[in-house]
Amino acid sequence: MSNRYFSIRQKKLLQILQNQTTHITGAKLAEHLQVSPRTVRNDIASIHDILSGTGVVIDSYKSKGYLIIDTDHQLDAMLHSEDSFQSREERVYYLAFQLCLSEVQVDLYDLEEELHISRSTLEHDLMALTEHYVHSYPHITLHETTTHIAFEKDERKRRAVLNRLVHEDWNYNAKGNSLFGYQYLDEDQMAIIMNATTRILGQFHIQLEDANSVLLNLAIAIMQVRIQTGHVLNSERVIDDKEPKIALAVDALFDFLEDELSCNFCPAERDEVYLHIANCRLLDASLLSFSTVEVHFSSDVIDITDQYLKDVWGLFKIDLRNDEDFYITLLQYVRYLKSPMHIFNAFQINPKMARSTLKTEYEIAYLFQPYAIRLTGSMLDAAELLHLAMCVSGAMEFLYKHQDQQKMKAVILCHLNLYATWALKRKILASFDSFIDVVALLPVNAKATHEFNDVDIVLTTVNKPITDSPDVDVIHISPLMTQEDYLKVVRVIDKRRIDKISQLKASSAIRTFLGD
């Protein structure tokens, strides 16, 4: 198996295929991987060659796409049996692991020989490693000389790096890191920890998001390995006024795990897990309201949230402060962002597509960056920004729904008989009745005599000029009202809704950030 090498991208492609029960198109795979369909086709061809003679087959069906057939379940072993480092991502992964586990400085010449790379390539790999773990959380210091490198001997930071390494590319459809498997942790012991945390937190009615549940399980598993290799936390964090329910749950969890794993977890270790649960648990939504925020959120979280919404109003003239549900959700976002253990799941969508779809929402979300720096010491990353933009999009949708309910006035110009025109009207109203009021059905030749002063939208079946009015959106549609036609109408409605809500254009600085 050692000569069967998959690149990181090919591994990710195979992971997506493993999770499919029906064929998936090359276009969809390209969207997931953020590459071109041609690149996907080339990767599939390479994978076919690598899998030749293994019994694992990628079934290709024209117009339907690809489906992996692995009746003997051989692919997992092939993906996780490699010891080669042919991509930078794999080398950075390996370097970070070695630096976390090493008690002494790591020799650069040994690394060059071990990884079969030049010093120049190694230096670029170290730059990538620095970007991932030094400039980003947990901000661990990398000590460098001309011949050696080493991570600072901060046990908490080293564990945080290990947690990130194992959690990245976690397969939520199964258990384990989908690219590297269980190279550091014991799978059986992980199963014990997972079952215990699910059962005991459930008994105490404590809920965590999926990502934080995985992080918690990994933190405990890494904690056990580090303790057993002599790396115990020597100092405790100061915790004021522990929540009794969480403290009891943590003690119950570790009392059970000490027997099951034959490992002693000291108070400092237990407090790390307490902090994770206390900072990341889901709050009881039924207890949250405008009148109770001071009970459940710290004053700095409330102050930052209030100031941010004030800024949104000041710049965009969009008032989201009276939406209680959004306000509570935003408070939870800020509270979670404040926690050093926070993680926002990455979306398997093209970032450019997300920014194009949520353009105004991104502009509003980017306004939070100064507060992110105040909370965390750094700006929001791509995943954090996207989650905030999505949260804002829900608030904007609600705001529009409960604003002035005046519908957009539309006229249908159709060159066919009345009956076809009437059918068009019914199709449009079936989908857009909440937003559009069809005020007239007209033949195309009436455009010369009809006044469009009070009209917002004209839907026409002919591709010719209709009106010179800049306030009227003219949409050319098919008499059959195709899916593409529906999307045209959606785009115009969304544009008008955003223009109605927002009375101020985005600043040039924000537009520069968004790449316009």
Side-chain angles (χ1 to χ4, degrees):
M1 295 288 185
S2 60
N3 62 336
R4 299 190 186 278
Y5 173 77
F6 298 105
S7 70
I8 285 288
R9 189 178 63 235
Q10 288 170 348
K11 285 182 177 181
K12 290 181 178 179
L13 190 155
L14 285 167
Q15 173 200 344
I16 295 169
L17 289 173
Q18 279 185 303
N19 292 328
Q20 299 295 317
T21 56
T22 58
H23 288 78
I24 180 173
T25 65
K28 284 289 184 183
L29 288 170
E31 183 179 330
H32 280 305
L33 297 170
Q34 298 177 30
V35 297
S36 69
R38 180 178 180 179
T39 298
V40 169
R41 290 195 296 271
N42 291 338
D43 277 346
I44 291 288
S46 298
I47 292 170
H48 267 302
D49 293 339
I50 295 171
L51 294 177
S52 178
T54 66
V56 183
V57 177
I58 297 180
D59 182 52
S60 177
Y61 196 95
K62 189 175 181 180
S63 79
K64 286 188 176 181
Y66 307 99
L67 178 66
I68 201 158
I69 301 173
D70 182 17
T71 54
D72 295 329
H73 306 289
Q74 297 184 61
L75 187 56
D76 274 336
M78 295 171 62
L79 289 173
H80 299 146
S81 66
E82 303 169 33
D83 56 2
S84 56
F85 306 95
Q86 297 189 25
S87 75
R88 172 157 296 157
E89 188 173 355
E90 288 175 303
R91 293 194 302 270
V92 169
Y93 178 93
Y94 177 78
L95 287 170
F97 249 115
Q98 296 308 305
L99 289 168
C100 283
L101 303 182
S102 178
E103 300 299 320
V104 296
Q105 292 184 329
V106 179
D107 190 293
L108 292 175
Y109 296 104
D110 290 344
L111 286 174
E112 291 175 37
E113 184 176 344
E114 186 175 3
L115 298 174
H116 306 292
I117 57 176
S118 66
R119 175 58 63 93
S120 175
T121 300
L122 179 57
E123 288 174 352
H124 282 90
D125 291 347
L126 290 174
M127 289 174 60
L129 180 141
T130 300
E131 186 67 27
H132 275 79
Y133 306 109
V134 178
H135 295 162
S136 303
Y137 177 78
H139 304 289
I140 193 167
T141 300
L142 179 65
H143 301 291
E144 297 183 74
T145 69
T146 56
T147 57
H148 291 80
I149 56 173
F151 272 157
E152 65 174 298
K153 292 187 176 181
D154 184 312
E155 179 61 18
R156 286 188 174 88
K157 289 184 179 181
R158 289 197 178 199
R159 291 188 190 184
V161 173
L162 289 169
N163 203 319
R164 277 192 58 185
L165 287 167
V166 182
H167 182 265
E168 287 174 1
D169 292 299
W170 188 265
N171 186 352
Y172 285 89
N173 293 295
K175 294 177 181 178
N177 182 293
S178 58
L179 301 185
F180 301 100
Y182 286 92
Q183 292 185 358
Y184 176 63
L185 304 175
D186 183 276
E187 187 171 359
D188 293 334
Q189 292 181 342
M190 270 295 294
I192 293 172
I193 293 169
M194 288 178 179
N195 292 333
T197 56
T198 299
R199 176 175 56 82
I200 292 174
L201 292 186
Q203 289 174 356
F204 285 87
H205 305 290
I206 297 171
Q207 278 194 329
L208 299 177
E209 292 174 326
D210 290 328
N212 282 308
S213 181
V214 171
L215 283 176
L216 174 62
N217 291 324
L218 292 175
I220 296 172
I222 291 168
M223 180 187 297
Q224 179 205 5
V225 174
R226 297 296 285 173
I227 290 172
Q228 291 177 337
T229 55
H231 301 90
V232 181
L233 292 177
N234 296 318
S235 61
E236 297 184 31
R237 297 181 190 260
V238 177
I239 304 176
D240 299 322
D241 301 324
K242 283 187 178 181
E243 294 186 42
K245 182 172 74 169
I246 298 177
L248 287 171
V250 170
D251 283 339
L253 175 62
F254 280 110
D255 289 346
F256 173 80
L257 290 177
E258 283 187 341
D259 291 335
E260 290 292 316
L261 302 177
S262 300
C263 181
N264 179 57
F265 298 95
C266 69
E269 303 284 2
R270 295 185 179 214
D271 280 352
E272 290 299 301
V273 170
Y274 171 88
L275 287 171
H276 179 93
I277 296 173
N279 288 325
C280 301
R281 79 191 189 285
L282 292 172
L283 301 177
D284 185 346
S286 65
L287 301 177
L288 304 177
S289 65
F290 280 138
S291 61
T292 64
V293 294
E294 293 183 359
V295 176
H296 299 281
F297 299 95
S298 62
S299 58
D300 60 334
V301 168
I302 296 173
D303 178 62
I304 283 176
T305 303
D306 290 346
Q307 187 60 50
Y308 169 62
L309 292 178
K310 184 178 178 181
D311 290 349
V312 173
W313 166 251
L315 181 60
F316 293 95
K317 294 299 180 288
I318 298 175
D319 194 354
L320 304 175
R321 294 170 291 185
N322 296 320
D323 184 342
E324 184 178 64
D325 195 17
F326 169 67
Y327 182 66
I328 296 299
T329 304
L330 184 60
L331 282 169
Q332 293 184 84
Y333 174 90
V334 177
R335 168 184 171 271
Y336 184 50
L337 192 68
K338 182 182 174 183
S339 167
M341 305 171 193
H342 72 264
I343 181 169
F344 290 85
N345 294 41
F347 284 68
Q348 288 188 324
I349 57 175
N350 190 311
K352 290 184 178 179
M353 182 186 301
R355 288 183 177 178
S356 175
T357 305
L358 303 172
K359 198 165 190 177
T360 299
E361 290 87 344
Y362 258 98
E363 294 171 350
I364 294 173
Y366 191 66
L367 206 60
F368 190 81
Q369 293 291 26
Y371 300 108
I373 294 172
R374 187 197 301 182
L375 275 174
T376 68
S378 60
M379 297 177 72
L380 299 176
D381 64 24
E384 293 163 349
L385 195 63
L386 176 54
H387 277 81
L388 180 55
M390 291 186 67
C391 188
V392 170
S393 73
M396 301 243 322
E397 188 80 18
F398 188 83
L399 177 65
Y400 181 83
K401 186 84 173 178
H402 291 80
Q403 261 193 342
D404 182 5
Q405 294 299 309
Q406 183 177 0
K407 297 181 182 180
M408 302 170 200
K409 294 181 180 179
V411 169
I412 298 177
L413 292 179
C414 182
H415 68 284
L416 301 177
N417 297 89
L418 172 64
Y419 320 105
T421 311
W422 179 86
L424 265 180
K425 181 187 79 169
R426 279 300 180 90
K427 289 180 180 181
I428 291 164
L429 291 180
S431 296
F432 305 109
D433 184 51
S434 298
F435 310 105
I436 288 179
D437 183 16
V438 177
V439 296
L441 304 179
L442 300 173
V444 176
N445 63 51
K447 73 182 182 69
T449 57
H450 189 82
E451 295 289 339
F452 293 99
N453 296 333
D454 296 327
V455 175
D456 300 301
I457 299 172
V458 173
L459 299 115
T460 174
T461 59
V462 295
N463 192 12
K464 62 171 61 176
I466 301 298
T467 174
D468 294 329
S469 174
D471 298 324
V472 179
D473 283 295
V474 178
I475 307 173
H476 178 230
I477 60 173
S478 160
L480 298 176
M481 197 62 191
T482 65
Q483 186 64 34
E484 183 181 352
D485 296 327
Y486 283 107
L487 292 175
K488 289 180 184 177
V489 178
V490 167
R491 283 192 287 268
V492 170
I493 290 175
D494 283 347
K495 174 182 175 297
R496 282 186 166 269
R497 291 171 66 187
I498 290 172
D499 288 346
K500 184 176 181 181
I501 293 173
S502 178
Q503 301 172 19
L504 193 63
K505 296 296 183 182
S507 68
S508 59
I510 294 176
R511 288 194 174 278
T512 299
F513 168 78
L514 292 174
D516 285 2

